[in-house]
Amino acid sequence: MPWAMRSGLEPIKKVAGTIKNHLWGILNAIVLEVNNGPAESLNSRIKIIKVHSRGFRRKERFANAIYSHLGGLNLYPEEVVG
């Protein structure tokens, strides 16, 4: 019987089970130093576009707004950017 399962507290048993089930993923994230921060940031910026637009009637227009805001396009003429 694992040490964490000796606890009489159900919340502790639940946490121990969750850690046991996800141990390899937790260790890989620590060793490889990866996280989902960039994905969460992108998702947050897309949500801001959605809120500011007050809704789109067509999915294509929503996709175009995302591309135009987050696509990294330089829309200024060369003389202005210089």
Side-chain angles (χ1 to χ4, degrees), residues 73-82:
L73 298 174
N74 183 6
L75 300 176
Y76 292 105
E78 272 188 44
E79 300 84 31
V80 175
V81 177

Side-chain angles (χ1 to χ4, degrees), residues 1-12:
M1 181 180 230
W3 63 271
M5 295 299 169
R6 289 186 216 160
S7 174
L9 301 173
E10 286 302 317
I12 299 297

